[in-house]
Every structure is written in C-alpha cells, then in structure tokens.
Amino acid sequence: MNGFRVMTSGVILGAIFLSGCNNSAEPDEAQQEKSPVMNENPDSNTGETQNAEVIKKGVGDVIQSIKGLESEISTEADSGKIQEMGKEISSTWDSIEKQVEDQYPDWYERIEKNLYPLIGESGNPDKDLEKMKRLSEATKEDLQLFLEEVK
C-alpha cells in the first residue's frame, strides 16, 4: 500500500511539473497577435493616436457618404437609391459610433441630432428632399467641426 501512495504521489507531482514546463515568461506569437500593444513603444501614445486616426477616417467616410447622398438628392434619384445611400451612411457611422460616444459624448449627441433624422428620412417612402438637404448640410458641418476637435 505504501508503494502505491509513493507511486501515485510521483505521478501527480510529475504531471504538475510537466504541465508547468510549457509556460514561459514570454508570450507566444498567437498571444502577441491578440495584444499588439505589447509590441508598441511604451514611450509613445500610439494607442490613442491610432484610435483618433480610426475616428478621423470613419468621420471622413461618413462625410463622403453624405456627399454621395446629396448628389442623389440633387438629381432626384429614385427612392431606392436614396434609401440605399442612407443605409450606407448608417453602416459607416456604426463602425465608429461607440468610440465617438465613449470619447466625445457631447459631440456624439450633437452629431446624432441631425444624423439620425437624416438616415430616418432616407428610409421614408415619401422623402422630404428639402428636409434631407438641410439635415445633410447640418450633419456635414458638425462632422467637419468634430474633425478639428479629434486629436
């Protein structure tokens, strides 16, 4: 019976020892891919800079989508095309919305005050093109001002 205890203890201790052998102080490549921050220069604020660049690019994309919608409105394109452009604006905004809301809550509210009615009107079967023109101009103006704020 004593031999069985010694052998069982040896097997358990061996398993514990071997399970710890694969752990290392340095992360493997897969871990580094999951957390790219570890590869960055700690003296730089690249995380903040990258986030600001993502927001700037997203806002620029939203502005371009709104300009596309405006040209559809000015040519009085078919209702389906205008609705499609509204969906594109919504999708583009959605890609940065959470970051803007978290980092710039005042701007978020200001932008969405005109943006959501614009998107809503684009999906309306009886579109008010004059209202859409006003909303698109106001939204573009707010987005341009916001771009100046993003650092």
Side-chain angles (χ1 to χ4, degrees):
M1 191 66 145
N2 243 354
F4 179 72
R5 286 184 185 167
V6 170
M7 191 138 151
T8 305
S9 298
V11 169
I12 292 173
L13 288 174
I16 292 172
F17 174 73
L18 288 175
S19 69
C21 286
N22 196 20
N23 292 338
S24 65
E26 296 182 32
D28 61 1
E29 289 178 20
Q31 181 64 29
Q32 287 179 353
E33 288 175 13
K34 290 180 186 174
S35 59
V37 175
M38 293 179 71
N39 297 330
E40 294 176 1
N41 182 354
D43 295 334
S44 67
N45 291 328
T46 54
E48 291 176 17
T49 303
Q50 287 175 348
N51 198 28
E53 290 305 314
V54 167
I55 291 173
K56 286 179 182 179
K57 182 186 179 327
V59 169
D61 292 346
V62 173
I63 291 171
Q64 289 305 313
S65 296
I66 292 172
K67 287 179 180 178
L69 176 66
E70 287 176 330
S71 72
E72 293 298 326
I73 292 170
S74 67
T75 61
E76 296 187 18
D78 68 296
S79 181
K81 183 66 174 170
I82 292 174
Q83 183 174 2
E84 183 181 309
M85 297 295 295
K87 287 180 182 178
E88 179 183 321
I89 293 168
S90 178
S91 174
T92 306
W93 175 248
D94 286 348
S95 69
I96 59 166
E97 179 179 19
K98 185 68 177 153
Q99 293 169 302
V100 174
E101 182 180 18
D102 289 347
Q103 295 177 18
Y104 304 93
D106 294 337
W107 277 105
Y108 172 77
E109 286 183 33
R110 180 175 172 174
I111 292 166
E112 290 203 339
K113 183 178 69 177
N114 292 309
L115 179 64
Y116 277 131
L118 174 62
I119 293 168
E121 190 63 37
S122 73
N124 191 347
D126 299 318
K127 294 168 183 31
D128 182 342
L129 297 181
E130 288 304 313
K131 180 178 180 182
M132 289 182 72
K133 286 178 186 178
R134 285 191 314 271
L135 289 169
S136 66
E137 280 300 317
T139 304
K140 277 193 330 189
E141 183 179 324
D142 287 343
L143 289 169
Q144 290 289 356
L145 292 170
F146 173 62
L147 275 178
E148 295 172 15
E149 240 356 85
V150 177
K151 298 174 182 160

